[in-house]
Amino acid sequence: YDTMKLQSYAFFGQVGWRFAPDWRLTLGGRYTHDRKKYNGDASIPSDTAPLPFLNQTGKDSWGAFTPRVALDYQPTDDITLYASVSK
């Protein structure tokens, strides 16, 4: 391609809540947004007509939210048990 521009942004946050002396619930998430712009002239020199899919211009963008949930149990200062689910 003659030019291609890519941008990616991400935001992340999480919060923990100790709902009992030995238990903590953590909720978090990440949002990612990507953007791509391209302008190309990639024709192949030949005696025939250039292939149309090689000369493309366009743009696209997409985003995704990925959540996370975790549960911690700390029965002693030396032991922590946890379960975590995330996308």
Side-chain angles (χ1 to χ4, degrees):
Y1 287 101
D2 290 336
T3 60
M4 182 178 286
K5 183 176 181 182
L6 305 171
Q7 292 178 323
S8 183
Y9 302 97
F11 303 96
F12 174 80
Q14 76 176 30
V15 63
W17 172 46
R18 188 167 299 280
F19 61 91
D22 299 334
W23 292 88
R24 181 177 57 196
L25 178 67
T26 302
L27 301 174
R30 175 187 173 107
Y31 179 76
T32 304
H33 182 78
D34 295 291
R35 187 178 312 154
K36 175 171 61 172
K37 294 181 183 180
Y38 51 92
N39 181 6
D41 179 10
S43 59
I44 299 172
S46 70
D47 295 335
T48 62
L51 299 172
F53 63 86
L54 293 176
N55 299 311
Q56 294 185 359
T57 299
K59 61 183 177 178
D60 196 7
S61 65
W62 57 94
F65 175 72
T66 50
R68 178 178 184 265
V69 177
L71 182 64
D72 296 28
Y73 173 62
Q74 190 172 13
T76 71
D77 289 341
D78 298 326
I79 298 173
T80 300
L81 304 171
Y82 69 94
S84 177
V85 177
S86 60
K87 180 178 176 186

